Short mmCIF file of all heavy atoms in Angstrom, two decimals:
data_model
loop_
_atom_site.label_atom_id
_atom_site.label_comp_id
_atom_site.label_asym_id
_atom_site.label_seq_id
_atom_site.Cartn_x
_atom_site.Cartn_y
_atom_site.Cartn_z
N PHE A 1 14.43 12.95 -23.55
CA PHE A 1 13.97 13.86 -22.50
C PHE A 1 15.02 13.90 -21.40
O PHE A 1 15.71 12.92 -21.13
CB PHE A 1 12.61 13.44 -21.94
CG PHE A 1 12.58 12.07 -21.32
CD1 PHE A 1 12.81 11.90 -19.96
CD2 PHE A 1 12.32 10.95 -22.08
CE1 PHE A 1 12.79 10.65 -19.39
CE2 PHE A 1 12.28 9.69 -21.51
CZ PHE A 1 12.52 9.54 -20.17
N GLU A 2 15.16 15.06 -20.76
CA GLU A 2 16.23 15.29 -19.80
C GLU A 2 15.72 15.34 -18.36
O GLU A 2 16.51 15.26 -17.43
CB GLU A 2 16.95 16.60 -20.13
CG GLU A 2 17.61 16.58 -21.52
CD GLU A 2 18.22 17.92 -21.89
OE1 GLU A 2 17.96 18.91 -21.17
OE2 GLU A 2 18.94 17.98 -22.91
N ASP A 3 14.43 15.47 -18.18
CA ASP A 3 13.86 15.59 -16.83
C ASP A 3 13.68 14.20 -16.23
O ASP A 3 12.74 13.48 -16.58
CB ASP A 3 12.51 16.33 -16.90
CG ASP A 3 11.97 16.65 -15.50
OD1 ASP A 3 12.60 16.23 -14.51
OD2 ASP A 3 10.92 17.30 -15.42
N VAL A 4 14.58 13.81 -15.33
CA VAL A 4 14.51 12.48 -14.72
C VAL A 4 13.26 12.33 -13.85
O VAL A 4 12.82 11.21 -13.57
CB VAL A 4 15.76 12.18 -13.88
CG1 VAL A 4 16.99 12.11 -14.76
CG2 VAL A 4 15.95 13.22 -12.77
N TYR A 5 12.69 13.45 -13.43
CA TYR A 5 11.51 13.39 -12.56
C TYR A 5 10.28 12.91 -13.31
O TYR A 5 9.25 12.65 -12.69
CB TYR A 5 11.25 14.77 -11.94
CG TYR A 5 12.37 15.23 -11.05
CD1 TYR A 5 13.23 16.25 -11.45
CD2 TYR A 5 12.60 14.63 -9.81
CE1 TYR A 5 14.28 16.66 -10.64
CE2 TYR A 5 13.64 15.04 -9.00
CZ TYR A 5 14.47 16.05 -9.41
OH TYR A 5 15.50 16.44 -8.61
N THR A 6 10.40 12.78 -14.63
CA THR A 6 9.28 12.25 -15.42
C THR A 6 8.92 10.85 -14.98
O THR A 6 7.77 10.41 -15.13
CB THR A 6 9.64 12.26 -16.92
OG1 THR A 6 10.08 13.57 -17.28
CG2 THR A 6 8.45 11.90 -17.78
N LEU A 7 9.88 10.12 -14.43
CA LEU A 7 9.64 8.74 -14.02
C LEU A 7 9.09 8.62 -12.60
O LEU A 7 8.87 7.51 -12.13
CB LEU A 7 10.95 7.94 -14.13
CG LEU A 7 11.39 7.59 -15.55
CD1 LEU A 7 12.77 6.95 -15.54
CD2 LEU A 7 10.39 6.66 -16.22
N ILE A 8 8.88 9.74 -11.92
CA ILE A 8 8.36 9.68 -10.54
C ILE A 8 7.05 8.91 -10.46
O ILE A 8 6.88 8.07 -9.56
CB ILE A 8 8.21 11.10 -9.96
CG1 ILE A 8 9.59 11.66 -9.61
CG2 ILE A 8 7.33 11.10 -8.72
CD1 ILE A 8 9.56 13.06 -9.05
N PRO A 9 6.06 9.15 -11.34
CA PRO A 9 4.81 8.38 -11.25
C PRO A 9 5.04 6.87 -11.34
O PRO A 9 4.38 6.10 -10.63
CB PRO A 9 3.99 8.90 -12.44
CG PRO A 9 4.51 10.27 -12.68
CD PRO A 9 5.96 10.20 -12.38
N ALA A 10 5.97 6.44 -12.20
CA ALA A 10 6.25 5.01 -12.33
C ALA A 10 6.90 4.46 -11.05
O ALA A 10 6.57 3.36 -10.60
CB ALA A 10 7.17 4.75 -13.52
N VAL A 11 7.80 5.24 -10.46
CA VAL A 11 8.45 4.82 -9.20
C VAL A 11 7.42 4.66 -8.10
O VAL A 11 7.40 3.66 -7.36
CB VAL A 11 9.53 5.84 -8.78
CG1 VAL A 11 10.10 5.48 -7.41
CG2 VAL A 11 10.65 5.89 -9.80
N VAL A 12 6.53 5.66 -8.00
CA VAL A 12 5.51 5.64 -6.95
C VAL A 12 4.56 4.46 -7.14
O VAL A 12 4.17 3.79 -6.18
CB VAL A 12 4.73 6.97 -6.93
CG1 VAL A 12 3.58 6.91 -5.93
CG2 VAL A 12 5.65 8.12 -6.57
N ILE A 13 4.19 4.19 -8.39
CA ILE A 13 3.20 3.13 -8.63
C ILE A 13 3.80 1.76 -8.33
O ILE A 13 3.10 0.85 -7.87
CB ILE A 13 2.66 3.21 -10.08
CG1 ILE A 13 1.24 2.65 -10.14
CG2 ILE A 13 3.53 2.47 -11.08
CD1 ILE A 13 0.52 2.91 -11.42
N ILE A 14 5.10 1.57 -8.54
CA ILE A 14 5.76 0.32 -8.16
C ILE A 14 5.79 0.19 -6.64
O ILE A 14 5.53 -0.89 -6.08
CB ILE A 14 7.18 0.25 -8.74
CG1 ILE A 14 7.13 0.07 -10.26
CG2 ILE A 14 7.97 -0.90 -8.12
CD1 ILE A 14 8.48 0.07 -10.93
N ALA A 15 6.10 1.30 -5.96
CA ALA A 15 6.12 1.29 -4.50
C ALA A 15 4.73 0.98 -3.94
O ALA A 15 4.60 0.20 -2.98
CB ALA A 15 6.61 2.64 -3.97
N VAL A 16 3.70 1.57 -4.55
CA VAL A 16 2.33 1.31 -4.12
C VAL A 16 1.96 -0.16 -4.35
O VAL A 16 1.34 -0.81 -3.50
CB VAL A 16 1.34 2.23 -4.87
CG1 VAL A 16 -0.10 1.76 -4.68
CG2 VAL A 16 1.49 3.66 -4.38
N GLY A 17 2.38 -0.70 -5.49
CA GLY A 17 2.09 -2.10 -5.79
C GLY A 17 2.73 -3.03 -4.77
O GLY A 17 2.11 -3.99 -4.29
N THR A 18 3.98 -2.75 -4.41
CA THR A 18 4.67 -3.55 -3.39
C THR A 18 3.97 -3.45 -2.05
O THR A 18 3.79 -4.45 -1.33
CB THR A 18 6.13 -3.09 -3.26
OG1 THR A 18 6.76 -3.13 -4.54
CG2 THR A 18 6.90 -3.97 -2.29
N LEU A 19 3.56 -2.22 -1.70
CA LEU A 19 2.88 -2.01 -0.43
C LEU A 19 1.53 -2.72 -0.38
O LEU A 19 1.12 -3.23 0.67
CB LEU A 19 2.70 -0.50 -0.19
CG LEU A 19 2.10 -0.07 1.16
CD1 LEU A 19 2.98 -0.56 2.31
CD2 LEU A 19 1.96 1.44 1.21
N LEU A 20 0.85 -2.80 -1.52
CA LEU A 20 -0.46 -3.45 -1.56
C LEU A 20 -0.37 -4.94 -1.23
O LEU A 20 -1.31 -5.52 -0.69
CB LEU A 20 -1.12 -3.25 -2.93
CG LEU A 20 -1.82 -1.91 -3.16
CD1 LEU A 20 -2.43 -1.86 -4.54
CD2 LEU A 20 -2.89 -1.65 -2.11
N PHE A 21 0.75 -5.58 -1.60
CA PHE A 21 0.94 -6.98 -1.22
C PHE A 21 0.89 -7.12 0.30
O PHE A 21 0.22 -7.99 0.85
CB PHE A 21 2.29 -7.49 -1.73
CG PHE A 21 2.26 -7.99 -3.14
CD1 PHE A 21 2.99 -7.34 -4.12
CD2 PHE A 21 1.52 -9.10 -3.50
CE1 PHE A 21 2.97 -7.78 -5.43
CE2 PHE A 21 1.50 -9.56 -4.81
CZ PHE A 21 2.22 -8.90 -5.78
N ILE A 22 1.62 -6.23 0.98
CA ILE A 22 1.67 -6.27 2.45
C ILE A 22 0.31 -5.93 3.05
O ILE A 22 -0.15 -6.58 3.99
CB ILE A 22 2.74 -5.29 2.96
CG1 ILE A 22 4.11 -5.65 2.36
CG2 ILE A 22 2.81 -5.30 4.48
CD1 ILE A 22 5.19 -4.64 2.63
N ILE A 23 -0.35 -4.92 2.46
CA ILE A 23 -1.66 -4.51 2.96
C ILE A 23 -2.67 -5.66 2.83
O ILE A 23 -3.49 -5.89 3.72
CB ILE A 23 -2.17 -3.27 2.19
CG1 ILE A 23 -1.27 -2.07 2.49
CG2 ILE A 23 -3.61 -2.95 2.57
CD1 ILE A 23 -1.58 -0.86 1.63
N GLY A 24 -2.61 -6.37 1.70
CA GLY A 24 -3.52 -7.50 1.51
C GLY A 24 -3.34 -8.56 2.58
O GLY A 24 -4.33 -9.12 3.10
N LEU A 25 -2.10 -8.83 2.96
CA LEU A 25 -1.83 -9.81 4.02
C LEU A 25 -2.36 -9.32 5.37
O LEU A 25 -2.95 -10.08 6.14
CB LEU A 25 -0.32 -10.08 4.11
CG LEU A 25 0.30 -10.81 2.92
CD1 LEU A 25 1.81 -10.89 3.07
CD2 LEU A 25 -0.28 -12.22 2.79
N ILE A 26 -2.15 -8.03 5.65
CA ILE A 26 -2.66 -7.45 6.90
C ILE A 26 -4.17 -7.55 6.96
O ILE A 26 -4.76 -7.93 7.98
CB ILE A 26 -2.21 -5.97 7.04
CG1 ILE A 26 -0.70 -5.88 7.22
CG2 ILE A 26 -2.92 -5.30 8.22
CD1 ILE A 26 -0.17 -4.46 7.20
N GLY A 27 -4.83 -7.23 5.83
CA GLY A 27 -6.28 -7.29 5.79
C GLY A 27 -6.81 -8.70 6.00
O GLY A 27 -7.78 -8.91 6.72
N CYS A 28 -6.15 -9.70 5.37
CA CYS A 28 -6.56 -11.10 5.55
C CYS A 28 -6.44 -11.53 7.01
O CYS A 28 -7.37 -12.11 7.58
CB CYS A 28 -5.71 -12.00 4.66
SG CYS A 28 -6.15 -11.95 2.92
N CYS A 29 -5.29 -11.23 7.61
CA CYS A 29 -5.06 -11.63 9.01
C CYS A 29 -6.05 -10.93 9.95
O CYS A 29 -6.61 -11.56 10.86
CB CYS A 29 -3.62 -11.29 9.43
SG CYS A 29 -2.37 -12.26 8.57
N ALA A 30 -6.28 -9.64 9.72
CA ALA A 30 -7.18 -8.89 10.58
C ALA A 30 -8.61 -9.40 10.47
O ALA A 30 -9.35 -9.48 11.47
CB ALA A 30 -7.13 -7.40 10.23
N THR A 31 -9.03 -9.77 9.26
CA THR A 31 -10.39 -10.28 9.06
C THR A 31 -10.57 -11.65 9.69
O THR A 31 -11.59 -11.92 10.34
CB THR A 31 -10.71 -10.34 7.55
OG1 THR A 31 -10.48 -9.05 6.96
CG2 THR A 31 -12.15 -10.72 7.32
N ILE A 32 -9.59 -12.53 9.48
CA ILE A 32 -9.68 -13.89 10.04
C ILE A 32 -9.69 -13.84 11.57
O ILE A 32 -10.47 -14.54 12.22
CB ILE A 32 -8.50 -14.75 9.54
CG1 ILE A 32 -8.67 -15.00 8.03
CG2 ILE A 32 -8.44 -16.08 10.28
CD1 ILE A 32 -7.45 -15.64 7.38
N ARG A 33 -8.84 -12.98 12.14
CA ARG A 33 -8.74 -12.88 13.60
C ARG A 33 -9.83 -11.99 14.19
O ARG A 33 -9.95 -11.87 15.41
CB ARG A 33 -7.37 -12.35 14.00
CG ARG A 33 -6.23 -13.31 13.64
CD ARG A 33 -4.87 -12.63 13.85
NE ARG A 33 -4.69 -12.27 15.25
CZ ARG A 33 -4.17 -13.07 16.17
NH1 ARG A 33 -3.78 -14.30 15.83
NH2 ARG A 33 -4.02 -12.67 17.42
N GLU A 34 -10.59 -11.33 13.31
CA GLU A 34 -11.65 -10.40 13.74
C GLU A 34 -11.10 -9.33 14.68
O GLU A 34 -11.67 -9.03 15.73
CB GLU A 34 -12.80 -11.17 14.39
CG GLU A 34 -13.48 -12.15 13.45
CD GLU A 34 -14.63 -12.87 14.09
OE1 GLU A 34 -14.75 -12.82 15.33
OE2 GLU A 34 -15.42 -13.49 13.37
N SER A 35 -9.96 -8.78 14.29
CA SER A 35 -9.28 -7.78 15.10
C SER A 35 -9.73 -6.38 14.70
O SER A 35 -9.52 -5.96 13.56
CB SER A 35 -7.77 -7.91 14.93
OG SER A 35 -7.10 -6.82 15.48
N ARG A 36 -10.34 -5.66 15.64
CA ARG A 36 -10.75 -4.28 15.37
C ARG A 36 -9.54 -3.40 15.09
O ARG A 36 -9.56 -2.57 14.17
CB ARG A 36 -11.54 -3.73 16.56
CG ARG A 36 -12.98 -4.23 16.64
CD ARG A 36 -13.69 -3.64 17.87
NE ARG A 36 -13.69 -2.18 17.84
CZ ARG A 36 -14.54 -1.45 17.13
NH1 ARG A 36 -15.46 -2.06 16.38
NH2 ARG A 36 -14.49 -0.15 17.17
N CYS A 37 -8.51 -3.59 15.87
CA CYS A 37 -7.30 -2.78 15.70
C CYS A 37 -6.67 -3.05 14.34
O CYS A 37 -6.26 -2.13 13.63
CB CYS A 37 -6.30 -3.09 16.82
SG CYS A 37 -4.76 -2.16 16.71
N GLY A 38 -6.61 -4.34 13.96
CA GLY A 38 -6.04 -4.70 12.67
C GLY A 38 -6.85 -4.14 11.51
O GLY A 38 -6.28 -3.62 10.54
N LEU A 39 -8.17 -4.22 11.60
CA LEU A 39 -9.02 -3.71 10.53
C LEU A 39 -8.94 -2.19 10.44
O LEU A 39 -8.95 -1.62 9.35
CB LEU A 39 -10.48 -4.14 10.76
CG LEU A 39 -10.79 -5.61 10.44
CD1 LEU A 39 -12.20 -5.95 10.89
CD2 LEU A 39 -10.63 -5.88 8.95
N ALA A 40 -8.87 -1.53 11.61
CA ALA A 40 -8.75 -0.07 11.61
C ALA A 40 -7.42 0.34 10.97
O ALA A 40 -7.36 1.30 10.18
CB ALA A 40 -8.83 0.46 13.04
N THR A 41 -6.34 -0.39 11.29
CA THR A 41 -5.04 -0.11 10.69
C THR A 41 -5.09 -0.33 9.18
O THR A 41 -4.54 0.45 8.39
CB THR A 41 -3.96 -1.03 11.30
OG1 THR A 41 -3.93 -0.84 12.72
CG2 THR A 41 -2.59 -0.74 10.71
N PHE A 42 -5.79 -1.40 8.78
CA PHE A 42 -5.96 -1.72 7.36
C PHE A 42 -6.64 -0.58 6.62
O PHE A 42 -6.20 -0.16 5.53
CB PHE A 42 -6.77 -3.01 7.26
CG PHE A 42 -7.14 -3.42 5.86
CD1 PHE A 42 -6.18 -3.89 4.99
CD2 PHE A 42 -8.45 -3.35 5.43
CE1 PHE A 42 -6.52 -4.28 3.70
CE2 PHE A 42 -8.80 -3.74 4.15
CZ PHE A 42 -7.83 -4.21 3.28
N VAL A 43 -7.70 -0.03 7.20
CA VAL A 43 -8.44 1.06 6.56
C VAL A 43 -7.56 2.32 6.46
O VAL A 43 -7.53 2.99 5.42
CB VAL A 43 -9.72 1.38 7.35
CG1 VAL A 43 -10.39 2.64 6.82
CG2 VAL A 43 -10.69 0.21 7.27
N ILE A 44 -6.83 2.63 7.52
CA ILE A 44 -5.98 3.83 7.53
C ILE A 44 -4.89 3.74 6.47
O ILE A 44 -4.63 4.69 5.72
CB ILE A 44 -5.36 4.04 8.93
CG1 ILE A 44 -6.46 4.42 9.93
CG2 ILE A 44 -4.29 5.14 8.89
CD1 ILE A 44 -5.99 4.43 11.38
N ILE A 45 -4.24 2.55 6.39
CA ILE A 45 -3.18 2.38 5.39
C ILE A 45 -3.76 2.47 3.98
O ILE A 45 -3.17 3.10 3.09
CB ILE A 45 -2.45 1.03 5.60
CG1 ILE A 45 -1.74 1.01 6.94
CG2 ILE A 45 -1.45 0.80 4.47
CD1 ILE A 45 -1.09 -0.32 7.26
N LEU A 46 -4.92 1.85 3.78
CA LEU A 46 -5.56 1.93 2.45
C LEU A 46 -5.88 3.37 2.09
O LEU A 46 -5.74 3.78 0.93
CB LEU A 46 -6.84 1.09 2.43
CG LEU A 46 -6.73 -0.38 2.04
CD1 LEU A 46 -8.10 -1.01 1.95
CD2 LEU A 46 -6.01 -0.53 0.71
N LEU A 47 -6.32 4.14 3.08
CA LEU A 47 -6.63 5.55 2.83
C LEU A 47 -5.38 6.31 2.40
O LEU A 47 -5.42 7.12 1.47
CB LEU A 47 -7.25 6.18 4.08
CG LEU A 47 -7.62 7.67 3.98
CD1 LEU A 47 -8.66 7.88 2.87
CD2 LEU A 47 -8.16 8.18 5.32
#
């Protein structure tokens, strides 16, 4: 196949997976600290 853009979904899903690691840490910290701002940021990023 010649269309290199065929791999875009795989690229995006790796980027999403990497981002989810960071999001999980943010969510843990926000929940433990009971931070409204942190939890709101967590929800927005997840969305």
Side-chain angles (χ1 to χ4, degrees):
F1 60 92
E2 298 175 350
D3 188 356
V4 295
Y5 297 107
T6 307
L7 286 173
I8 285 180
V11 174
V12 175
I13 208 169
I14 290 176
V16 167
T18 305
L19 185 59
L20 279 181
F21 275 115
I22 302 171
I23 294 172
L25 292 174
I26 293 173
C28 285
C29 293
T31 305
I32 292 170
R33 295 171 62 88
E34 298 182 346
S35 168
R36 283 179 58 81
C37 180
L39 284 172
T41 303
F42 175 71
V43 172
I44 292 171
I45 296 176
L46 271 185
L47 180 60

